[in-house]
PDB file of all heavy atoms in Angstrom:
ATOM      1  N   CYS A   1     -21.916 -24.604  -6.672  1.00 95.00           N
ATOM      2  CA  CYS A   1     -22.290 -24.187  -8.019  1.00 95.00           C
ATOM      3  C   CYS A   1     -21.252 -23.294  -8.679  1.00 95.00           C
ATOM      4  O   CYS A   1     -21.462 -22.824  -9.799  1.00 95.00           O
ATOM      5  CB  CYS A   1     -23.644 -23.478  -7.986  1.00 95.00           C
ATOM      6  SG  CYS A   1     -25.005 -24.578  -7.561  1.00 95.00           S
ATOM      7  N   ASP A   2     -20.130 -23.042  -7.991  1.00 94.00           N
ATOM      8  CA  ASP A   2     -19.050 -22.217  -8.510  1.00 94.00           C
ATOM      9  C   ASP A   2     -19.575 -20.872  -9.000  1.00 94.00           C
ATOM     10  O   ASP A   2     -19.382 -20.479 -10.156  1.00 94.00           O
ATOM     11  CB  ASP A   2     -18.311 -22.948  -9.635  1.00 94.00           C
ATOM     12  CG  ASP A   2     -17.096 -22.182 -10.127  1.00 94.00           C
ATOM     13  OD1 ASP A   2     -16.492 -21.436  -9.328  1.00 94.00           O
ATOM     14  OD2 ASP A   2     -16.769 -22.301 -11.333  1.00 94.00           O
ATOM     15  N   ILE A   3     -20.284 -20.171  -8.098  1.00 96.00           N
ATOM     16  CA  ILE A   3     -20.920 -18.924  -8.485  1.00 96.00           C
ATOM     17  C   ILE A   3     -20.815 -17.884  -7.377  1.00 96.00           C
ATOM     18  O   ILE A   3     -20.782 -18.236  -6.197  1.00 96.00           O
ATOM     19  CB  ILE A   3     -22.390 -19.170  -8.879  1.00 96.00           C
ATOM     20  CG1 ILE A   3     -22.945 -18.005  -9.663  1.00 96.00           C
ATOM     21  CG2 ILE A   3     -23.253 -19.506  -7.687  1.00 96.00           C
ATOM     22  CD1 ILE A   3     -24.052 -18.400 -10.586  1.00 96.00           C
ATOM     23  N   LYS A   4     -20.741 -16.623  -7.793  1.00 97.00           N
ATOM     24  CA  LYS A   4     -20.761 -15.512  -6.842  1.00 97.00           C
ATOM     25  C   LYS A   4     -22.006 -14.688  -7.114  1.00 97.00           C
ATOM     26  O   LYS A   4     -22.521 -14.662  -8.230  1.00 97.00           O
ATOM     27  CB  LYS A   4     -19.499 -14.665  -6.967  1.00 97.00           C
ATOM     28  CG  LYS A   4     -18.268 -15.444  -6.537  1.00 97.00           C
ATOM     29  CD  LYS A   4     -17.084 -14.573  -6.314  1.00 97.00           C
ATOM     30  CE  LYS A   4     -15.930 -15.447  -5.817  1.00 97.00           C
ATOM     31  NZ  LYS A   4     -14.786 -14.675  -5.424  1.00 97.00           N
ATOM     32  N   PHE A   5     -22.476 -13.992  -6.083  1.00 97.00           N
ATOM     33  CA  PHE A   5     -23.714 -13.224  -6.155  1.00 97.00           C
ATOM     34  C   PHE A   5     -23.396 -11.739  -5.976  1.00 97.00           C
ATOM     35  O   PHE A   5     -22.653 -11.380  -5.065  1.00 97.00           O
ATOM     36  CB  PHE A   5     -24.683 -13.686  -5.059  1.00 97.00           C
ATOM     37  CG  PHE A   5     -25.027 -15.138  -5.170  1.00 97.00           C
ATOM     38  CD1 PHE A   5     -24.210 -16.102  -4.583  1.00 97.00           C
ATOM     39  CD2 PHE A   5     -26.143 -15.553  -5.867  1.00 97.00           C
ATOM     40  CE1 PHE A   5     -24.515 -17.444  -4.689  1.00 97.00           C
ATOM     41  CE2 PHE A   5     -26.448 -16.892  -5.982  1.00 97.00           C
ATOM     42  CZ  PHE A   5     -25.639 -17.852  -5.394  1.00 97.00           C
ATOM     43  N   PHE A   6     -23.985 -10.905  -6.837  1.00 97.00           N
ATOM     44  CA  PHE A   6     -23.701  -9.482  -6.831  1.00 97.00           C
ATOM     45  C   PHE A   6     -24.977  -8.657  -6.800  1.00 97.00           C
ATOM     46  O   PHE A   6     -26.015  -9.070  -7.315  1.00 97.00           O
ATOM     47  CB  PHE A   6     -22.918  -9.083  -8.096  1.00 97.00           C
ATOM     48  CG  PHE A   6     -21.530  -9.603  -8.142  1.00 97.00           C
ATOM     49  CD1 PHE A   6     -21.251 -10.848  -8.693  1.00 97.00           C
ATOM     50  CD2 PHE A   6     -20.480  -8.850  -7.631  1.00 97.00           C
ATOM     51  CE1 PHE A   6     -19.960 -11.332  -8.739  1.00 97.00           C
ATOM     52  CE2 PHE A   6     -19.179  -9.332  -7.677  1.00 97.00           C
ATOM     53  CZ  PHE A   6     -18.920 -10.585  -8.225  1.00 97.00           C
ATOM     54  N   GLU A   7     -24.827  -7.465  -6.242  1.00 96.00           N
ATOM     55  CA  GLU A   7     -25.845  -6.426  -6.316  1.00 96.00           C
ATOM     56  C   GLU A   7     -25.197  -5.262  -7.051  1.00 96.00           C
ATOM     57  O   GLU A   7     -24.134  -4.782  -6.647  1.00 96.00           O
ATOM     58  CB  GLU A   7     -26.249  -5.987  -4.912  1.00 96.00           C
ATOM     59  CG  GLU A   7     -27.110  -4.743  -4.898  1.00 96.00           C
ATOM     60  CD  GLU A   7     -27.235  -4.159  -3.513  1.00 96.00           C
ATOM     61  OE1 GLU A   7     -26.285  -3.439  -3.090  1.00 96.00           O
ATOM     62  OE2 GLU A   7     -28.250  -4.414  -2.859  1.00 96.00           O
ATOM     63  N   VAL A   8     -25.825  -4.828  -8.143  1.00 95.00           N
ATOM     64  CA  VAL A   8     -25.336  -3.688  -8.910  1.00 95.00           C
ATOM     65  C   VAL A   8     -26.431  -2.629  -8.909  1.00 95.00           C
ATOM     66  O   VAL A   8     -27.526  -2.864  -9.419  1.00 95.00           O
ATOM     67  CB  VAL A   8     -24.984  -4.087 -10.363  1.00 95.00           C
ATOM     68  CG1 VAL A   8     -24.625  -2.865 -11.178  1.00 95.00           C
ATOM     69  CG2 VAL A   8     -23.854  -5.094 -10.383  1.00 95.00           C
ATOM     70  N   LEU A   9     -26.139  -1.487  -8.309  1.00 93.00           N
ATOM     71  CA  LEU A   9     -27.079  -0.367  -8.327  1.00 93.00           C
ATOM     72  C   LEU A   9     -26.818   0.453  -9.579  1.00 93.00           C
ATOM     73  O   LEU A   9     -25.693   0.909  -9.806  1.00 93.00           O
ATOM     74  CB  LEU A   9     -26.921   0.487  -7.074  1.00 93.00           C
ATOM     75  CG  LEU A   9     -27.219  -0.225  -5.750  1.00 93.00           C
ATOM     76  CD1 LEU A   9     -27.032   0.727  -4.575  1.00 93.00           C
ATOM     77  CD2 LEU A   9     -28.617  -0.820  -5.739  1.00 93.00           C
ATOM     78  N   LEU A  10     -27.857   0.610 -10.380  1.00 91.00           N
ATOM     79  CA  LEU A  10     -27.736   1.307 -11.661  1.00 91.00           C
ATOM     80  C   LEU A  10     -27.938   2.807 -11.491  1.00 91.00           C
ATOM     81  O   LEU A  10     -28.667   3.246 -10.596  1.00 91.00           O
ATOM     82  CB  LEU A  10     -28.788   0.777 -12.639  1.00 91.00           C
ATOM     83  CG  LEU A  10     -28.732  -0.715 -12.941  1.00 91.00           C
ATOM     84  CD1 LEU A  10     -29.940  -1.128 -13.761  1.00 91.00           C
ATOM     85  CD2 LEU A  10     -27.449  -1.074 -13.658  1.00 91.00           C
ATOM     86  N   THR A  11     -27.324   3.570 -12.360  1.00 87.00           N
ATOM     87  CA  THR A  11     -27.585   5.004 -12.387  1.00 87.00           C
ATOM     88  C   THR A  11     -28.915   5.226 -13.107  1.00 87.00           C
ATOM     89  O   THR A  11     -29.404   4.344 -13.825  1.00 87.00           O
ATOM     90  CB  THR A  11     -26.463   5.756 -13.133  1.00 87.00           C
ATOM     91  OG1 THR A  11     -26.381   5.247 -14.469  1.00 87.00           O
ATOM     92  CG2 THR A  11     -25.132   5.599 -12.432  1.00 87.00           C
ATOM     93  N   HIS A  12     -29.498   6.401 -12.939  1.00 79.00           N
ATOM     94  CA  HIS A  12     -30.791   6.714 -13.565  1.00 79.00           C
ATOM     95  C   HIS A  12     -30.762   6.588 -15.080  1.00 79.00           C
ATOM     96  O   HIS A  12     -31.721   6.146 -15.683  1.00 79.00           O
ATOM     97  CB  HIS A  12     -31.238   8.132 -13.197  1.00 79.00           C
ATOM     98  CG  HIS A  12     -31.765   8.234 -11.814  1.00 79.00           C
ATOM     99  ND1 HIS A  12     -32.997   7.755 -11.445  1.00 79.00           N
ATOM    100  CD2 HIS A  12     -31.219   8.763 -10.696  1.00 79.00           C
ATOM    101  CE1 HIS A  12     -33.202   7.984 -10.167  1.00 79.00           C
ATOM    102  NE2 HIS A  12     -32.129   8.594  -9.680  1.00 79.00           N
ATOM    103  N   ASN A  13     -29.664   6.949 -15.694  1.00 68.00           N
ATOM    104  CA  ASN A  13     -29.617   7.003 -17.158  1.00 68.00           C
ATOM    105  C   ASN A  13     -29.307   5.668 -17.823  1.00 68.00           C
ATOM    106  O   ASN A  13     -29.246   5.589 -19.033  1.00 68.00           O
ATOM    107  CB  ASN A  13     -28.590   8.049 -17.622  1.00 68.00           C
ATOM    108  CG  ASN A  13     -27.178   7.728 -17.162  1.00 68.00           C
ATOM    109  OD1 ASN A  13     -26.982   6.911 -16.271  1.00 68.00           O
ATOM    110  ND2 ASN A  13     -26.205   8.381 -17.759  1.00 68.00           N
ATOM    111  N   ASN A  14     -29.137   4.596 -17.069  1.00 59.00           N
ATOM    112  CA  ASN A  14     -28.732   3.327 -17.685  1.00 59.00           C
ATOM    113  C   ASN A  14     -29.630   2.166 -17.287  1.00 59.00           C
ATOM    114  O   ASN A  14     -29.234   1.025 -17.375  1.00 59.00           O
ATOM    115  CB  ASN A  14     -27.281   3.011 -17.313  1.00 59.00           C
ATOM    116  CG  ASN A  14     -26.682   2.007 -18.256  1.00 59.00           C
ATOM    117  OD1 ASN A  14     -26.875   2.094 -19.457  1.00 59.00           O
ATOM    118  ND2 ASN A  14     -25.983   1.038 -17.723  1.00 59.00           N
ATOM    119  N   GLU A  15     -30.856   2.423 -16.895  1.00 53.00           N
ATOM    120  CA  GLU A  15     -31.701   1.362 -16.357  1.00 53.00           C
ATOM    121  C   GLU A  15     -32.280   0.424 -17.407  1.00 53.00           C
ATOM    122  O   GLU A  15     -32.728  -0.650 -17.076  1.00 53.00           O
ATOM    123  CB  GLU A  15     -32.822   1.980 -15.522  1.00 53.00           C
ATOM    124  CG  GLU A  15     -32.277   2.655 -14.285  1.00 53.00           C
ATOM    125  CD  GLU A  15     -33.358   3.314 -13.458  1.00 53.00           C
ATOM    126  OE1 GLU A  15     -34.507   3.403 -13.924  1.00 53.00           O
ATOM    127  OE2 GLU A  15     -33.033   3.734 -12.345  1.00 53.00           O
ATOM    128  N   SER A  16     -32.287   0.801 -18.668  1.00 56.00           N
ATOM    129  CA  SER A  16     -32.931  -0.035 -19.674  1.00 56.00           C
ATOM    130  C   SER A  16     -31.960  -0.657 -20.672  1.00 56.00           C
ATOM    131  O   SER A  16     -32.379  -1.318 -21.597  1.00 56.00           O
ATOM    132  CB  SER A  16     -33.971   0.785 -20.435  1.00 56.00           C
ATOM    133  OG  SER A  16     -33.336   1.839 -21.113  1.00 56.00           O
ATOM    134  N   ARG A  17     -30.696  -0.486 -20.476  1.00 67.00           N
ATOM    135  CA  ARG A  17     -29.701  -0.988 -21.430  1.00 67.00           C
ATOM    136  C   ARG A  17     -29.136  -2.325 -20.965  1.00 67.00           C
ATOM    137  O   ARG A  17     -28.019  -2.412 -20.476  1.00 67.00           O
ATOM    138  CB  ARG A  17     -28.596   0.036 -21.600  1.00 67.00           C
ATOM    139  CG  ARG A  17     -29.128   1.318 -22.181  1.00 67.00           C
ATOM    140  CD  ARG A  17     -28.027   2.278 -22.444  1.00 67.00           C
ATOM    141  NE  ARG A  17     -28.580   3.459 -23.074  1.00 67.00           N
ATOM    142  CZ  ARG A  17     -28.095   4.657 -22.921  1.00 67.00           C
ATOM    143  NH1 ARG A  17     -27.035   4.841 -22.170  1.00 67.00           N
ATOM    144  NH2 ARG A  17     -28.643   5.678 -23.523  1.00 67.00           N
ATOM    145  N   GLN A  18     -29.926  -3.358 -21.157  1.00 70.00           N
ATOM    146  CA  GLN A  18     -29.611  -4.677 -20.630  1.00 70.00           C
ATOM    147  C   GLN A  18     -28.288  -5.242 -21.134  1.00 70.00           C
ATOM    148  O   GLN A  18     -27.475  -5.726 -20.356  1.00 70.00           O
ATOM    149  CB  GLN A  18     -30.762  -5.612 -20.973  1.00 70.00           C
ATOM    150  CG  GLN A  18     -30.636  -6.986 -20.422  1.00 70.00           C
ATOM    151  CD  GLN A  18     -31.851  -7.823 -20.770  1.00 70.00           C
ATOM    152  OE1 GLN A  18     -32.875  -7.314 -21.171  1.00 70.00           O
ATOM    153  NE2 GLN A  18     -31.729  -9.110 -20.600  1.00 70.00           N
ATOM    154  N   VAL A  19     -28.061  -5.194 -22.415  1.00 71.00           N
ATOM    155  CA  VAL A  19     -26.829  -5.760 -22.978  1.00 71.00           C
ATOM    156  C   VAL A  19     -25.615  -4.969 -22.503  1.00 71.00           C
ATOM    157  O   VAL A  19     -24.591  -5.541 -22.130  1.00 71.00           O
ATOM    158  CB  VAL A  19     -26.897  -5.830 -24.520  1.00 71.00           C
ATOM    159  CG1 VAL A  19     -25.566  -6.267 -25.101  1.00 71.00           C
ATOM    160  CG2 VAL A  19     -27.997  -6.785 -24.954  1.00 71.00           C
ATOM    161  N   ASN A  20     -25.722  -3.641 -22.476  1.00 81.00           N
ATOM    162  CA  ASN A  20     -24.610  -2.817 -21.989  1.00 81.00           C
ATOM    163  C   ASN A  20     -24.286  -3.125 -20.530  1.00 81.00           C
ATOM    164  O   ASN A  20     -23.116  -3.156 -20.143  1.00 81.00           O
ATOM    165  CB  ASN A  20     -24.934  -1.333 -22.142  1.00 81.00           C
ATOM    166  CG  ASN A  20     -24.976  -0.898 -23.589  1.00 81.00           C
ATOM    167  OD1 ASN A  20     -24.540  -1.613 -24.478  1.00 81.00           O
ATOM    168  ND2 ASN A  20     -25.532   0.269 -23.824  1.00 81.00           N
ATOM    169  N   MET A  21     -25.332  -3.321 -19.716  1.00 86.00           N
ATOM    170  CA  MET A  21     -25.119  -3.649 -18.305  1.00 86.00           C
ATOM    171  C   MET A  21     -24.339  -4.949 -18.187  1.00 86.00           C
ATOM    172  O   MET A  21     -23.388  -5.051 -17.415  1.00 86.00           O
ATOM    173  CB  MET A  21     -26.458  -3.782 -17.568  1.00 86.00           C
ATOM    174  CG  MET A  21     -27.228  -2.494 -17.444  1.00 86.00           C
ATOM    175  SD  MET A  21     -28.770  -2.626 -16.496  1.00 86.00           S
ATOM    176  CE  MET A  21     -29.637  -3.975 -17.255  1.00 86.00           C
ATOM    177  N   ALA A  22     -24.746  -5.955 -18.953  1.00 86.00           N
ATOM    178  CA  ALA A  22     -24.079  -7.259 -18.896  1.00 86.00           C
ATOM    179  C   ALA A  22     -22.633  -7.154 -19.378  1.00 86.00           C
ATOM    180  O   ALA A  22     -21.735  -7.717 -18.755  1.00 86.00           O
ATOM    181  CB  ALA A  22     -24.846  -8.280 -19.720  1.00 86.00           C
ATOM    182  N   GLN A  23     -22.407  -6.433 -20.462  1.00 87.00           N
ATOM    183  CA  GLN A  23     -21.041  -6.285 -20.974  1.00 87.00           C
ATOM    184  C   GLN A  23     -20.136  -5.624 -19.947  1.00 87.00           C
ATOM    185  O   GLN A  23     -18.994  -6.038 -19.746  1.00 87.00           O
ATOM    186  CB  GLN A  23     -21.045  -5.493 -22.278  1.00 87.00           C
ATOM    187  CG  GLN A  23     -21.618  -6.262 -23.436  1.00 87.00           C
ATOM    188  CD  GLN A  23     -21.782  -5.406 -24.677  1.00 87.00           C
ATOM    189  OE1 GLN A  23     -21.773  -4.181 -24.634  1.00 87.00           O
ATOM    190  NE2 GLN A  23     -21.958  -6.071 -25.813  1.00 87.00           N
ATOM    191  N   GLU A  24     -20.657  -4.601 -19.284  1.00 91.00           N
ATOM    192  CA  GLU A  24     -19.860  -3.919 -18.272  1.00 91.00           C
ATOM    193  C   GLU A  24     -19.588  -4.848 -17.090  1.00 91.00           C
ATOM    194  O   GLU A  24     -18.489  -4.870 -16.541  1.00 91.00           O
ATOM    195  CB  GLU A  24     -20.580  -2.649 -17.805  1.00 91.00           C
ATOM    196  CG  GLU A  24     -19.688  -1.743 -17.019  1.00 91.00           C
ATOM    197  CD  GLU A  24     -20.224  -0.324 -16.933  1.00 91.00           C
ATOM    198  OE1 GLU A  24     -21.086   0.081 -17.729  1.00 91.00           O
ATOM    199  OE2 GLU A  24     -19.746   0.392 -16.038  1.00 91.00           O
ATOM    200  N   MET A  25     -20.593  -5.642 -16.722  1.00 91.00           N
ATOM    201  CA  MET A  25     -20.401  -6.577 -15.611  1.00 91.00           C
ATOM    202  C   MET A  25     -19.408  -7.677 -15.988  1.00 91.00           C
ATOM    203  O   MET A  25     -18.613  -8.107 -15.154  1.00 91.00           O
ATOM    204  CB  MET A  25     -21.743  -7.168 -15.168  1.00 91.00           C
ATOM    205  CG  MET A  25     -21.675  -7.945 -13.888  1.00 91.00           C
ATOM    206  SD  MET A  25     -21.168  -6.900 -12.495  1.00 91.00           S
ATOM    207  CE  MET A  25     -20.691  -8.163 -11.317  1.00 91.00           C
ATOM    208  N   PHE A  26     -19.425  -8.129 -17.238  1.00 90.00           N
ATOM    209  CA  PHE A  26     -18.432  -9.116 -17.679  1.00 90.00           C
ATOM    210  C   PHE A  26     -17.014  -8.553 -17.534  1.00 90.00           C
ATOM    211  O   PHE A  26     -16.095  -9.278 -17.164  1.00 90.00           O
ATOM    212  CB  PHE A  26     -18.678  -9.557 -19.128  1.00 90.00           C
ATOM    213  CG  PHE A  26     -19.699 -10.648 -19.283  1.00 90.00           C
ATOM    214  CD1 PHE A  26     -20.791 -10.476 -20.119  1.00 90.00           C
ATOM    215  CD2 PHE A  26     -19.569 -11.860 -18.611  1.00 90.00           C
ATOM    216  CE1 PHE A  26     -21.734 -11.489 -20.278  1.00 90.00           C
ATOM    217  CE2 PHE A  26     -20.506 -12.874 -18.765  1.00 90.00           C
ATOM    218  CZ  PHE A  26     -21.586 -12.682 -19.602  1.00 90.00           C
ATOM    219  N   LYS A  27     -16.821  -7.269 -17.812  1.00 89.00           N
ATOM    220  CA  LYS A  27     -15.499  -6.648 -17.629  1.00 89.00           C
ATOM    221  C   LYS A  27     -15.078  -6.698 -16.169  1.00 89.00           C
ATOM    222  O   LYS A  27     -13.926  -6.995 -15.851  1.00 89.00           O
ATOM    223  CB  LYS A  27     -15.523  -5.192 -18.108  1.00 89.00           C
ATOM    224  CG  LYS A  27     -15.592  -5.019 -19.586  1.00 89.00           C
ATOM    225  CD  LYS A  27     -15.646  -3.541 -19.941  1.00 89.00           C
ATOM    226  CE  LYS A  27     -15.950  -3.337 -21.399  1.00 89.00           C
ATOM    227  NZ  LYS A  27     -16.134  -1.921 -21.740  1.00 89.00           N
ATOM    228  N   ILE A  28     -16.017  -6.396 -15.279  1.00 91.00           N
ATOM    229  CA  ILE A  28     -15.725  -6.439 -13.842  1.00 91.00           C
ATOM    230  C   ILE A  28     -15.380  -7.865 -13.426  1.00 91.00           C
ATOM    231  O   ILE A  28     -14.399  -8.097 -12.713  1.00 91.00           O
ATOM    232  CB  ILE A  28     -16.925  -5.915 -13.027  1.00 91.00           C
ATOM    233  CG1 ILE A  28     -17.121  -4.427 -13.312  1.00 91.00           C
ATOM    234  CG2 ILE A  28     -16.734  -6.176 -11.534  1.00 91.00           C
ATOM    235  CD1 ILE A  28     -18.429  -3.868 -12.793  1.00 91.00           C
ATOM    236  N   MET A  29     -16.170  -8.822 -13.893  1.00 90.00           N
ATOM    237  CA  MET A  29     -15.920 -10.226 -13.554  1.00 90.00           C
ATOM    238  C   MET A  29     -14.536 -10.657 -14.021  1.00 90.00           C
ATOM    239  O   MET A  29     -13.806 -11.323 -13.287  1.00 90.00           O
ATOM    240  CB  MET A  29     -17.006 -11.117 -14.169  1.00 90.00           C
ATOM    241  CG  MET A  29     -18.370 -10.957 -13.527  1.00 90.00           C
ATOM    242  SD  MET A  29     -19.719 -11.728 -14.477  1.00 90.00           S
ATOM    243  CE  MET A  29     -19.195 -13.446 -14.529  1.00 90.00           C
ATOM    244  N   ARG A  30     -14.178 -10.267 -15.233  1.00 86.00           N
ATOM    245  CA  ARG A  30     -12.863 -10.633 -15.777  1.00 86.00           C
ATOM    246  C   ARG A  30     -11.754 -10.033 -14.920  1.00 86.00           C
ATOM    247  O   ARG A  30     -10.769 -10.693 -14.600  1.00 86.00           O
ATOM    248  CB  ARG A  30     -12.762 -10.173 -17.231  1.00 86.00           C
ATOM    249  CG  ARG A  30     -11.504 -10.612 -17.932  1.00 86.00           C
ATOM    250  CD  ARG A  30     -11.489 -10.288 -19.422  1.00 86.00           C
ATOM    251  NE  ARG A  30     -11.922  -8.940 -19.748  1.00 86.00           N
ATOM    252  CZ  ARG A  30     -13.031  -8.648 -20.436  1.00 86.00           C
ATOM    253  NH1 ARG A  30     -13.809  -9.602 -20.879  1.00 86.00           N
ATOM    254  NH2 ARG A  30     -13.354  -7.388 -20.692  1.00 86.00           N
ATOM    255  N   GLY A  31     -11.921  -8.783 -14.514  1.00 86.00           N
ATOM    256  CA  GLY A  31     -10.919  -8.114 -13.699  1.00 86.00           C
ATOM    257  C   GLY A  31     -10.739  -8.725 -12.319  1.00 86.00           C
ATOM    258  O   GLY A  31      -9.673  -8.639 -11.719  1.00 86.00           O
ATOM    259  N   TRP A  32     -11.776  -9.355 -11.797  1.00 88.00           N
ATOM    260  CA  TRP A  32     -11.719  -9.964 -10.461  1.00 88.00           C
ATOM    261  C   TRP A  32     -11.691 -11.499 -10.540  1.00 88.00           C
ATOM    262  O   TRP A  32     -11.904 -12.164  -9.538  1.00 88.00           O
ATOM    263  CB  TRP A  32     -12.901  -9.490  -9.625  1.00 88.00           C
ATOM    264  CG  TRP A  32     -12.748  -8.061  -9.222  1.00 88.00           C
ATOM    265  CD1 TRP A  32     -13.157  -6.959  -9.909  1.00 88.00           C
ATOM    266  CD2 TRP A  32     -12.097  -7.583  -8.054  1.00 88.00           C
ATOM    267  NE1 TRP A  32     -12.802  -5.826  -9.232  1.00 88.00           N
ATOM    268  CE2 TRP A  32     -12.157  -6.175  -8.089  1.00 88.00           C
ATOM    269  CE3 TRP A  32     -11.471  -8.202  -6.978  1.00 88.00           C
ATOM    270  CZ2 TRP A  32     -11.608  -5.379  -7.088  1.00 88.00           C
ATOM    271  CZ3 TRP A  32     -10.941  -7.398  -5.987  1.00 88.00           C
ATOM    272  CH2 TRP A  32     -11.009  -6.009  -6.046  1.00 88.00           C
ATOM    273  N   TYR A  33     -11.455 -12.037 -11.738  1.00 87.00           N
ATOM    274  CA  TYR A  33     -11.323 -13.485 -11.940  1.00 87.00           C
ATOM    275  C   TYR A  33     -12.562 -14.257 -11.480  1.00 87.00           C
ATOM    276  O   TYR A  33     -12.462 -15.322 -10.871  1.00 87.00           O
ATOM    277  CB  TYR A  33     -10.060 -14.030 -11.251  1.00 87.00           C
ATOM    278  CG  TYR A  33      -8.824 -13.289 -11.655  1.00 87.00           C
ATOM    279  CD1 TYR A  33      -8.219 -12.388 -10.790  1.00 87.00           C
ATOM    280  CD2 TYR A  33      -8.272 -13.468 -12.920  1.00 87.00           C
ATOM    281  CE1 TYR A  33      -7.094 -11.677 -11.168  1.00 87.00           C
ATOM    282  CE2 TYR A  33      -7.152 -12.764 -13.307  1.00 87.00           C
ATOM    283  CZ  TYR A  33      -6.566 -11.875 -12.432  1.00 87.00           C
ATOM    284  OH  TYR A  33      -5.447 -11.172 -12.816  1.00 87.00           O
ATOM    285  N   VAL A  34     -13.727 -13.727 -11.799  1.00 91.00           N
ATOM    286  CA  VAL A  34     -14.996 -14.386 -11.495  1.00 91.00           C
ATOM    287  C   VAL A  34     -15.528 -14.948 -12.803  1.00 91.00           C
ATOM    288  O   VAL A  34     -15.707 -14.226 -13.771  1.00 91.00           O
ATOM    289  CB  VAL A  34     -16.015 -13.385 -10.894  1.00 91.00           C
ATOM    290  CG1 VAL A  34     -17.378 -14.036 -10.720  1.00 91.00           C
ATOM    291  CG2 VAL A  34     -15.497 -12.825  -9.576  1.00 91.00           C
ATOM    292  N   GLN A  35     -15.793 -16.265 -12.827  1.00 90.00           N
ATOM    293  CA  GLN A  35     -16.289 -16.887 -14.053  1.00 90.00           C
ATOM    294  C   GLN A  35     -17.808 -16.900 -14.131  1.00 90.00           C
ATOM    295  O   GLN A  35     -18.364 -16.796 -15.216  1.00 90.00           O
ATOM    296  CB  GLN A  35     -15.769 -18.312 -14.180  1.00 90.00           C
ATOM    297  CG  GLN A  35     -14.328 -18.386 -14.564  1.00 90.00           C
ATOM    298  CD  GLN A  35     -13.912 -19.802 -14.901  1.00 90.00           C
ATOM    299  OE1 GLN A  35     -14.536 -20.768 -14.491  1.00 90.00           O
ATOM    300  NE2 GLN A  35     -12.848 -19.924 -15.651  1.00 90.00           N
ATOM    301  N   ASN A  36     -18.484 -17.065 -12.993  1.00 94.00           N
ATOM    302  CA  ASN A  36     -19.934 -17.231 -12.989  1.00 94.00           C
ATOM    303  C   ASN A  36     -20.548 -16.348 -11.906  1.00 94.00           C
ATOM    304  O   ASN A  36     -20.051 -16.317 -10.782  1.00 94.00           O
ATOM    305  CB  ASN A  36     -20.296 -18.690 -12.721  1.00 94.00           C
ATOM    306  CG  ASN A  36     -19.593 -19.638 -13.661  1.00 94.00           C
ATOM    307  OD1 ASN A  36     -19.738 -19.551 -14.866  1.00 94.00           O
ATOM    308  ND2 ASN A  36     -18.806 -20.537 -13.107  1.00 94.00           N
ATOM    309  N   ALA A  37     -21.643 -15.679 -12.268  1.00 96.00           N
ATOM    310  CA  ALA A  37     -22.259 -14.770 -11.298  1.00 96.00           C
ATOM    311  C   ALA A  37     -23.764 -14.688 -11.510  1.00 96.00           C
ATOM    312  O   ALA A  37     -24.246 -14.775 -12.646  1.00 96.00           O
ATOM    313  CB  ALA A  37     -21.658 -13.378 -11.425  1.00 96.00           C
TER     314      ALA A  37
END
């Protein structure tokens, strides 16, 4: 399926910011050349 699986532990102050979480994860994916997760 050309996919990698991740576990991201959130800090207390960022548990409800869904779009921000995804944007930050997209940056990580780009930095590690991961297209799908």
Side-chain angles (χ1 to χ4, degrees):
C1 293
D2 185 29
I3 197 153
K4 293 195 177 187
F5 301 86
F6 291 89
E7 169 193 81
V8 174
L9 298 180
L10 301 172
T11 59
H12 284 286
N13 61 344
N14 199 43
E15 294 178 351
S16 63
R17 297 184 177 149
Q18 184 178 345
V19 174
N20 291 347
M21 293 183 308
Q23 289 173 343
E24 194 162 342
M25 190 62 197
F26 276 125
K27 288 179 190 175
I28 294 168
M29 290 167 59
R30 186 173 46 246
W32 288 89
Y33 307 105
V34 174
Q35 286 189 338
N36 307 301

